[in-house]
Amino acid sequence: SSAVQDQLVNVRQLFATDNGAFAALRADGSVVTWGNPYYGGDSSVVQEQLKNVQQIAATDGAFAAILDDGSLVTWGNRDRGGDSS
């Protein structure tokens, strides 16, 4: 987590996959991810959408975030729920 250490402030909740990826939900509704990039540790593809997050759920290799407008954003391994397109 050293690459994101400076972003890990005002963390409200922490979530993890079973495959070494983490997602921190911050008080302002933003999300910081790190760890195994194949299983959700890299959220760069959806980072612009990860605003006003209310809740996060994790599978063994993906994350799903519910936004304040009720929409859902997913990322991580597509075979484990990371692709909801």
Side-chain angles (χ1 to χ4, degrees):
S1 68
S2 60
V4 296
Q5 188 66 44
D6 59 331
Q7 300 173 57
L8 294 174
V9 294
N10 299 316
V11 173
R12 190 170 65 196
Q13 288 182 283
L14 183 63
F15 305 88
T17 68
D18 293 334
N19 286 294
F22 296 89
L25 176 57
R26 295 173 23 168
D28 65 358
S30 62
V31 176
V32 179
T33 60
W34 71 97
N36 191 322
Y38 301 108
Y39 295 105
D42 179 2
S43 60
S44 58
V45 173
V46 296
Q47 193 62 50
E48 284 299 311
Q49 300 171 61
L50 291 174
K51 295 178 175 140
N52 303 312
V53 173
Q54 299 298 303
Q55 182 62 269
I56 295 175
T59 70
D60 60 343
F63 293 101
I66 301 173
L67 308 186
D68 64 351
D69 65 359
S71 61
L72 190 69
V73 177
T74 59
W75 70 98
N77 187 291
R78 69 181 318 134
D79 295 327
R80 295 186 171 155
D83 183 0
S84 60
S85 60

